[in-house]
Amino acid sequence: MKAVRMYDVKDLRVEEVPKPSPKADEVLLKIHAVGVCGSDIPRALIKGPHVLPITLGHEFAGEIVELGSDVKDWALGDRVAVAPLLPDYNDPWSKKGIYSLSEGYMYYGSRNDGAFAEYLSVKALNLIKLGDNVPYDWGATIDPAANAVHACLRADLTEMDSVAVYGMGAIGLFAVQYAKAKGVKTIIAVDIDDRKLEIAKQSGATTTINSKEIDPVEAILKVTDNQGIDVSLEMSGTEICQIQAVQASAKMGRVVYLGISNSSLTFPKEAVDKILRYQVSVMGSWNSFSDPFPGIEWTESAELMDKGLMNPEMFITQKLTLDDVPDTFKKIDKKELYFIKIMFYPSTQDS
Protein backbone atom coordinates (compact mmCIF):
# COMPACT_ATOMS: atom_id res chain seq x y z
CA MET A 1 0.00 0.00 0.00
CA LYS A 2 0.98 3.65 -0.25
CA ALA A 3 1.91 5.60 2.89
CA VAL A 4 3.71 8.82 3.80
CA ARG A 5 6.64 7.97 6.05
CA MET A 6 8.45 10.52 8.19
CA TYR A 7 12.16 9.86 8.70
CA ASP A 8 13.19 13.14 10.29
CA VAL A 9 12.03 16.72 10.72
CA LYS A 10 10.94 18.00 7.28
CA ASP A 11 11.66 14.57 5.75
CA LEU A 12 8.34 13.12 4.53
CA ARG A 13 8.37 10.50 1.78
CA VAL A 14 5.59 8.78 -0.16
CA GLU A 15 6.49 5.09 -0.21
CA GLU A 16 5.13 1.61 -0.81
CA VAL A 17 4.92 -0.27 2.52
CA PRO A 18 3.38 -3.58 3.64
CA LYS A 19 -0.38 -3.53 4.13
CA PRO A 20 -1.16 -4.17 7.84
CA SER A 21 -3.20 -7.06 9.18
CA PRO A 22 -5.56 -6.53 12.12
CA LYS A 23 -4.88 -8.14 15.49
CA ALA A 24 -7.68 -9.99 17.26
CA ASP A 25 -9.14 -6.81 18.82
CA GLU A 26 -8.61 -4.61 15.76
CA VAL A 27 -10.21 -3.84 12.42
CA LEU A 28 -8.48 -2.97 9.18
CA LEU A 29 -9.62 0.37 7.82
CA LYS A 30 -9.44 1.60 4.28
CA ILE A 31 -8.63 5.26 4.97
CA HIS A 32 -10.91 7.59 3.04
CA ALA A 33 -10.01 10.92 4.64
CA VAL A 34 -7.30 12.22 7.00
CA GLY A 35 -6.87 15.80 8.16
CA VAL A 36 -3.90 17.86 9.26
CA CYS A 37 -4.08 18.83 12.93
CA GLY A 38 -2.37 21.95 14.21
CA SER A 39 -0.14 19.67 16.29
CA ASP A 40 1.01 17.83 13.13
CA ILE A 41 2.74 20.97 11.87
CA PRO A 42 5.39 21.39 14.61
CA ARG A 43 5.64 17.59 14.76
CA ALA A 44 6.56 17.42 11.08
CA LEU A 45 8.51 20.65 10.75
CA ILE A 46 10.11 21.54 14.10
CA LYS A 47 10.26 19.10 16.99
CA GLY A 48 9.60 15.69 15.44
CA PRO A 49 7.38 12.86 16.75
CA HIS A 50 8.03 10.52 19.67
CA VAL A 51 9.38 7.76 17.39
CA LEU A 52 10.97 7.62 13.94
CA PRO A 53 10.28 6.55 11.30
CA ILE A 54 6.52 6.97 11.58
CA THR A 55 3.37 7.60 9.57
CA LEU A 56 1.64 10.72 10.84
CA GLY A 57 -2.10 11.44 10.80
CA HIS A 58 -4.52 11.14 13.73
CA GLU A 59 -7.69 12.83 12.41
CA PHE A 60 -9.20 10.21 10.14
CA ALA A 61 -12.16 8.18 8.98
CA GLY A 62 -12.55 5.10 6.83
CA GLU A 63 -14.33 1.90 5.93
CA ILE A 64 -13.93 -1.43 7.73
CA VAL A 65 -12.53 -3.96 5.25
CA GLU A 66 -11.34 -6.69 7.63
CA LEU A 67 -12.29 -7.79 11.16
CA GLY A 68 -10.03 -9.17 13.87
CA SER A 69 -11.05 -12.56 15.26
CA ASP A 70 -12.43 -11.11 18.54
CA VAL A 71 -14.37 -8.19 17.03
CA LYS A 72 -18.11 -8.74 17.39
CA ASP A 73 -19.97 -5.43 17.22
CA TRP A 74 -18.76 -4.17 13.84
CA ALA A 75 -19.30 -5.33 10.27
CA LEU A 76 -17.48 -5.13 6.98
CA GLY A 77 -18.40 -1.91 5.19
CA ASP A 78 -19.14 0.06 8.36
CA ARG A 79 -18.16 3.71 8.01
CA VAL A 80 -16.28 4.98 11.05
CA ALA A 81 -14.14 7.71 12.57
CA VAL A 82 -11.37 6.81 15.00
CA ALA A 83 -10.44 8.26 18.38
CA PRO A 84 -6.62 8.30 18.23
CA LEU A 85 -5.80 7.81 21.93
CA LEU A 86 -4.82 4.32 23.07
CA PRO A 87 -5.16 4.57 26.85
CA ASP A 88 -3.17 2.63 29.41
CA TYR A 89 -6.21 1.21 31.18
CA ASN A 90 -4.13 0.37 34.26
CA ASP A 91 -3.16 4.00 34.76
CA PRO A 92 -4.88 5.57 37.82
CA TRP A 93 -6.34 8.38 35.71
CA SER A 94 -7.71 5.94 33.15
CA LYS A 95 -9.37 4.03 35.99
CA LYS A 96 -11.11 7.30 36.89
CA GLY A 97 -12.24 7.69 33.27
CA ILE A 98 -10.01 10.75 32.71
CA TYR A 99 -8.08 9.19 29.86
CA SER A 100 -6.36 12.33 28.61
CA LEU A 101 -4.33 12.54 31.82
CA SER A 102 -3.01 8.98 31.71
CA GLU A 103 0.76 8.63 31.43
CA GLY A 104 1.40 5.39 29.56
CA TYR A 105 -0.83 5.97 26.57
CA MET A 106 -0.07 5.43 22.89
CA TYR A 107 -1.49 7.53 20.06
CA TYR A 108 -2.14 6.93 16.38
CA GLY A 109 -0.03 9.33 14.34
CA SER A 110 2.45 10.41 17.02
CA ARG A 111 3.50 7.32 18.99
CA ASN A 112 2.04 4.67 16.65
CA ASP A 113 1.69 4.75 12.88
CA GLY A 114 -1.19 6.92 11.77
CA ALA A 115 -3.45 7.45 8.79
CA PHE A 116 -1.39 9.18 6.09
CA ALA A 117 -1.76 5.80 4.41
CA GLU A 118 -4.21 3.77 2.36
CA TYR A 119 -4.90 1.31 5.21
CA LEU A 120 -4.48 1.23 8.99
CA SER A 121 -5.31 -1.34 11.66
CA VAL A 122 -7.02 0.22 14.68
CA LYS A 123 -8.58 -0.96 17.93
CA ALA A 124 -12.30 -1.68 17.66
CA LEU A 125 -12.81 0.14 20.98
CA ASN A 126 -11.70 3.37 19.29
CA LEU A 127 -14.35 3.37 16.56
CA ILE A 128 -17.19 5.87 16.21
CA LYS A 129 -19.89 5.02 13.68
CA LEU A 130 -20.66 7.71 11.11
CA GLY A 131 -24.27 8.63 10.44
CA ASP A 132 -25.70 8.42 6.94
CA ASN A 133 -25.41 12.20 6.54
CA VAL A 134 -21.73 12.35 7.55
CA PRO A 135 -19.23 12.01 4.67
CA TYR A 136 -15.80 10.60 5.41
CA ASP A 137 -14.07 13.97 5.42
CA TRP A 138 -16.54 15.28 8.01
CA GLY A 139 -15.83 12.15 10.04
CA ALA A 140 -12.13 12.98 9.91
CA THR A 141 -12.92 16.25 11.71
CA ILE A 142 -14.72 14.67 14.66
CA ASP A 143 -11.40 14.84 16.54
CA PRO A 144 -11.18 18.68 16.53
CA ALA A 145 -14.96 18.86 17.07
CA ALA A 146 -14.59 16.66 20.15
CA ASN A 147 -11.81 18.92 21.43
CA ALA A 148 -14.17 21.88 21.15
CA VAL A 149 -16.95 20.02 22.96
CA HIS A 150 -14.52 18.97 25.71
CA ALA A 151 -13.61 22.63 26.32
CA CYS A 152 -17.29 23.59 26.46
CA LEU A 153 -17.96 20.79 28.95
CA ARG A 154 -15.03 21.97 31.07
CA ALA A 155 -16.72 25.38 31.20
CA ASP A 156 -20.17 23.91 32.00
CA LEU A 157 -21.52 25.92 29.07
CA THR A 158 -25.31 26.31 29.05
CA GLU A 159 -27.77 28.15 26.85
CA MET A 160 -28.01 30.84 29.55
CA ASP A 161 -24.34 31.79 29.10
CA SER A 162 -22.68 34.22 26.76
CA VAL A 163 -19.51 32.88 25.11
CA ALA A 164 -16.44 34.35 23.43
CA VAL A 165 -14.15 32.17 21.34
CA TYR A 166 -10.62 33.36 20.61
CA GLY A 167 -9.00 31.84 17.50
CA MET A 168 -11.01 30.67 14.50
CA GLY A 169 -9.13 27.56 13.57
CA ALA A 170 -11.12 24.35 13.18
CA ILE A 171 -11.55 23.84 16.95
CA GLY A 172 -12.64 27.43 17.50
CA LEU A 173 -15.13 27.26 14.63
CA PHE A 174 -16.52 23.99 16.00
CA ALA A 175 -16.88 25.68 19.40
CA VAL A 176 -18.97 28.40 17.75
CA GLN A 177 -21.13 25.77 16.04
CA TYR A 178 -21.52 23.78 19.26
CA ALA A 179 -22.56 26.88 21.23
CA LYS A 180 -25.18 27.67 18.59
CA ALA A 181 -26.43 24.06 18.65
CA LYS A 182 -26.81 24.37 22.43
CA GLY A 183 -28.94 27.47 22.12
CA VAL A 184 -26.43 30.09 23.29
CA LYS A 185 -27.74 33.53 22.29
CA THR A 186 -24.52 35.61 22.47
CA ILE A 187 -21.59 34.04 20.62
CA ILE A 188 -18.59 36.27 19.98
CA ALA A 189 -15.79 35.19 17.64
CA VAL A 190 -12.35 36.83 17.88
CA ASP A 191 -9.59 36.49 15.30
CA ILE A 192 -7.21 38.63 13.20
CA ASP A 193 -8.33 37.19 9.83
CA ASP A 194 -11.53 38.51 8.24
CA ARG A 195 -11.85 35.36 6.11
CA LYS A 196 -12.04 33.20 9.22
CA LEU A 197 -14.40 35.64 10.93
CA GLU A 198 -16.77 35.41 7.96
CA ILE A 199 -16.84 31.62 8.38
CA ALA A 200 -17.45 32.14 12.11
CA LYS A 201 -20.46 34.30 11.23
CA GLN A 202 -21.77 31.55 8.94
CA SER A 203 -21.16 29.07 11.78
CA GLY A 204 -23.36 30.98 14.22
CA ALA A 205 -21.33 33.83 15.73
CA THR A 206 -23.59 36.75 16.60
CA THR A 207 -20.66 39.17 16.80
CA THR A 208 -17.23 38.99 15.14
CA ILE A 209 -14.22 40.99 16.28
CA ASN A 210 -11.00 41.51 14.34
CA SER A 211 -8.62 42.03 17.25
CA LYS A 212 -6.01 43.48 14.92
CA GLU A 213 -8.31 46.44 14.34
CA ILE A 214 -10.19 46.94 17.62
CA ASP A 215 -9.65 46.07 21.27
CA PRO A 216 -11.68 42.87 21.86
CA VAL A 217 -12.05 43.57 25.57
CA GLU A 218 -13.68 46.92 24.92
CA ALA A 219 -15.82 45.44 22.14
CA ILE A 220 -17.00 42.53 24.31
CA LEU A 221 -17.87 44.85 27.21
CA LYS A 222 -19.87 47.00 24.80
CA VAL A 223 -21.79 44.00 23.41
CA THR A 224 -22.55 42.74 26.93
CA ASP A 225 -23.61 46.11 28.41
CA ASN A 226 -20.43 46.23 30.47
CA GLN A 227 -21.24 42.92 32.16
CA GLY A 228 -18.49 40.89 30.49
CA ILE A 229 -18.64 37.40 29.04
CA ASP A 230 -19.66 34.29 30.97
CA VAL A 231 -17.48 31.75 29.15
CA SER A 232 -14.23 32.52 27.33
CA LEU A 233 -12.71 29.76 25.19
CA GLU A 234 -9.11 30.57 24.30
CA MET A 235 -8.09 28.48 21.29
CA SER A 236 -5.17 30.49 19.89
CA GLY A 237 -2.51 29.86 22.53
CA THR A 238 -1.26 33.45 22.23
CA GLU A 239 -0.39 35.44 25.32
CA ILE A 240 -2.41 38.50 24.39
CA CYS A 241 -5.59 36.46 23.86
CA GLN A 242 -5.04 34.53 27.08
CA ILE A 243 -4.96 37.82 28.97
CA GLN A 244 -7.87 39.35 27.05
CA ALA A 245 -10.00 36.29 27.80
CA VAL A 246 -9.62 37.04 31.51
CA GLN A 247 -10.04 40.79 31.21
CA ALA A 248 -13.31 40.44 29.29
CA SER A 249 -14.83 38.06 31.86
CA ALA A 250 -18.07 38.62 33.71
CA LYS A 251 -18.46 38.06 37.43
CA MET A 252 -18.06 34.33 38.11
CA GLY A 253 -16.84 33.95 34.52
CA ARG A 254 -15.11 30.78 33.34
CA VAL A 255 -12.00 30.96 31.16
CA VAL A 256 -10.83 27.80 29.41
CA TYR A 257 -7.37 27.58 27.85
CA LEU A 258 -7.14 25.04 25.05
CA GLY A 259 -4.69 26.63 22.60
CA ILE A 260 -1.17 25.28 23.02
CA SER A 261 1.21 28.00 24.20
CA ASN A 262 4.67 28.46 22.76
CA SER A 263 5.61 31.34 25.05
CA SER A 264 5.42 32.32 28.70
CA LEU A 265 2.32 34.01 30.10
CA THR A 266 2.62 36.89 32.57
CA PHE A 267 -0.63 38.33 33.88
CA PRO A 268 -0.76 42.10 34.32
CA LYS A 269 -2.02 43.22 37.71
CA GLU A 270 -5.34 44.27 36.14
CA ALA A 271 -6.00 40.70 34.98
CA VAL A 272 -5.06 39.26 38.37
CA ASP A 273 -7.34 41.80 40.01
CA LYS A 274 -10.17 40.69 37.69
CA ILE A 275 -9.64 37.02 38.64
CA LEU A 276 -9.79 37.91 42.35
CA ARG A 277 -12.56 40.48 42.47
CA TYR A 278 -14.81 38.78 39.92
CA GLN A 279 -14.04 35.28 41.18
CA VAL A 280 -13.11 34.19 37.68
CA SER A 281 -12.27 30.50 37.17
CA VAL A 282 -9.31 29.81 34.87
CA MET A 283 -8.92 26.21 33.75
CA GLY A 284 -7.24 24.06 31.15
CA SER A 285 -8.72 21.70 28.57
CA TRP A 286 -6.60 18.88 27.22
CA ASN A 287 -7.70 16.62 24.41
CA SER A 288 -11.20 15.16 24.12
CA PHE A 289 -11.82 11.94 26.02
CA SER A 290 -14.12 10.86 28.85
CA ASP A 291 -15.87 7.81 30.24
CA PRO A 292 -17.16 5.58 28.69
CA PHE A 293 -14.25 5.79 26.25
CA PRO A 294 -13.89 7.61 23.95
CA GLY A 295 -16.58 9.78 25.54
CA ILE A 296 -19.62 11.95 24.99
CA GLU A 297 -17.39 14.48 23.22
CA TRP A 298 -17.03 12.01 20.35
CA THR A 299 -20.54 10.58 20.28
CA GLU A 300 -22.23 13.99 20.53
CA SER A 301 -20.01 15.50 17.83
CA ALA A 302 -20.89 12.61 15.50
CA GLU A 303 -24.61 13.03 16.27
CA LEU A 304 -24.54 16.81 15.73
CA MET A 305 -22.76 16.32 12.40
CA ASP A 306 -25.40 13.81 11.33
CA LYS A 307 -28.05 16.45 12.13
CA GLY A 308 -26.11 19.12 10.24
CA LEU A 309 -25.61 21.20 13.41
CA MET A 310 -21.85 20.83 13.22
CA ASN A 311 -20.60 21.27 9.67
CA PRO A 312 -16.90 21.42 8.72
CA GLU A 313 -17.51 21.75 4.98
CA MET A 314 -17.11 25.53 5.03
CA PHE A 315 -13.61 25.32 6.52
CA ILE A 316 -12.10 22.33 4.74
CA THR A 317 -9.88 24.59 2.66
CA GLN A 318 -7.79 22.01 0.73
CA LYS A 319 -8.77 18.60 -0.67
CA LEU A 320 -5.65 16.68 -1.73
CA THR A 321 -4.18 13.20 -2.20
CA LEU A 322 -1.45 11.33 -0.32
CA ASP A 323 1.04 12.23 -3.03
CA ASP A 324 0.50 15.89 -2.08
CA VAL A 325 1.51 15.47 1.59
CA PRO A 326 5.26 16.26 1.39
CA ASP A 327 4.78 19.31 -0.83
CA THR A 328 1.91 20.59 1.33
CA PHE A 329 4.08 20.57 4.45
CA LYS A 330 6.83 22.36 2.53
CA LYS A 331 4.34 25.09 1.60
CA ILE A 332 3.20 25.33 5.23
CA ASP A 333 6.84 25.65 6.30
CA LYS A 334 7.40 28.48 3.82
CA LYS A 335 4.11 30.13 4.80
CA GLU A 336 2.89 29.86 1.22
CA LEU A 337 -0.49 28.32 2.08
CA TYR A 338 -3.64 29.80 3.59
CA PHE A 339 -5.60 27.03 5.29
CA ILE A 340 -7.95 26.15 8.09
CA LYS A 341 -8.39 22.40 7.64
CA ILE A 342 -6.33 20.51 5.07
CA MET A 343 -7.81 17.17 4.08
CA PHE A 344 -6.08 14.29 2.30
CA TYR A 345 -7.96 11.47 0.57
CA PRO A 346 -5.86 8.28 0.41
CA SER A 347 -8.58 6.67 -1.70
CA THR A 348 -8.25 9.12 -4.56
CA GLN A 349 -11.78 8.60 -5.86
CA ASP A 350 -13.04 10.33 -2.67
CA SER A 351 -11.30 13.64 -3.33
Side-chain angles (χ1 to χ4, degrees):
M1 69 170 188
K2 185 183 292 185
V4 180
R5 300 289 285 165
M6 179 177 178
Y7 288 91
D8 204 344
V9 171
K10 301 185 182 182
D11 185 2
L12 298 168
R13 310 176 198 174
V14 181
E15 297 183 340
E16 290 292 324
V17 300
K19 183 178 175 181
S21 296
K23 296 177 182 176
D25 61 347
E26 295 179 334
V27 303
L28 180 65
L29 286 191
K30 181 179 182 180
I31 306 299
H32 284 270
V34 53
V36 176
C37 174
S39 66
D40 287 325
I41 295 169
R43 187 174 293 122
L45 301 176
I46 301 171
K47 62 183 182 180
H50 293 276
V51 296
L52 285 170
I54 194 171
T55 299
L56 300 179
H58 65 265
E59 299 180 355
F60 61 102
E63 172 191 358
I64 297 176
V65 294
E66 190 176 341
L67 300 169
S69 58
D70 293 342
V71 176
K72 306 299 181 187
D73 298 326
W74 298 95
L76 297 179
D78 280 349
R79 301 168 60 256
V80 296
V82 180
L85 180 74
L86 293 161
D88 174 3
Y89 289 100
N90 293 316
D91 181 277
W93 287 102
S94 288
K95 289 179 178 179
K96 295 176 184 179
I98 308 175
Y99 301 101
S100 298
L101 300 188
S102 67
E103 297 291 339
Y105 66 89
M106 301 299 285
Y107 210 89
Y108 294 119
S110 68
R111 298 167 188 253
N112 303 56
D113 281 337
F116 286 169
E118 291 181 308
Y119 295 90
L120 182 66
S121 290
V122 298
K123 299 289 187 185
L125 284 174
N126 289 59
L127 302 178
I128 297 290
K129 191 159 188 177
L130 300 182
D132 293 339
N133 298 315
V134 181
Y136 284 113
D137 50 7
W138 289 27
T141 69
I142 291 177
D143 182 307
N147 274 269
V149 174
H150 188 76
C152 292
L153 294 177
R154 290 282 292 144
D156 292 324
L157 179 69
T158 74
E159 64 179 314
M160 303 304 294
D161 291 315
S162 56
V163 61
V165 185
Y166 295 77
M168 293 297 106
I171 297 175
L173 289 164
F174 273 130
V176 169
Q177 293 184 357
Y178 182 75
K180 181 183 179 183
K182 289 299 175 182
V184 176
K185 302 298 187 294
T186 300
I187 305 170
I188 301 173
V190 182
D191 202 278
I192 60 173
D193 189 316
D194 285 332
R195 293 169 293 184
K196 293 180 179 180
L197 290 171
E198 179 57 36
I199 297 172
K201 191 182 296 183
Q202 296 171 29
S203 294
T206 55
T207 299
T208 59
I209 298 170
N210 187 322
S211 56
K212 217 175 189 179
E213 299 174 357
I214 60 174
D215 184 334
V217 177
E218 291 181 7
I220 288 170
L221 291 175
K222 185 176 181 180
V223 169
T224 59
D225 295 325
N226 257 3
Q227 296 303 300
I229 207 81
D230 297 314
V231 172
S232 297
L233 304 174
E234 205 301 298
M235 309 298 197
S236 75
T238 60
E239 180 182 4
I240 188 169
C241 290
Q242 291 167 335
I243 293 170
Q244 289 167 345
V246 170
Q247 290 177 322
S249 285
K251 293 175 180 178
M252 301 297 289
R254 290 97 74 199
V255 178
V256 180
Y257 290 159
L258 182 147
I260 297 174
S261 297
N262 294 305
S263 60
S264 299
L265 171 62
T266 302
F267 279 120
K269 61 184 180 61
E270 294 83 4
V272 176
D273 194 52
K274 174 64 75 84
I275 293 170
L276 298 176
R277 292 178 180 271
Y278 277 34
Q279 296 191 173
V280 173
S281 298
V282 180
M283 65 197 83
S285 179
W286 185 248
N287 229 310
S288 59
F289 306 100
S290 60
D291 204 35
F293 184 80
I296 190 173
E297 297 91 334
W298 286 78
T299 54
E300 188 168 13
S301 293
E303 290 168 5
L304 289 172
M305 281 191 193
D306 197 36
K307 295 174 181 176
L309 297 175
M310 293 179 91
N311 176 353
E313 189 64 40
M314 63 188 80
F315 51 87
I316 297 176
T317 45
Q318 283 82 18
K319 297 187 175 186
L320 305 166
T321 70
L322 277 186
D323 290 324
D324 297 314
V325 170
D327 188 54
T328 299
F329 276 91
K330 287 178 184 176
K331 289 179 180 177
I332 293 171
D333 190 34
K334 295 177 181 177
K335 297 181 171 53
E336 296 176 349
L337 196 65
Y338 167 81
F339 63 92
I340 299 177
K341 180 58 64 182
I342 301 169
M343 193 66 61
F344 297 107
Y345 301 79
S347 299
T348 54
Q349 66 268 24
D350 297 322
S351 60

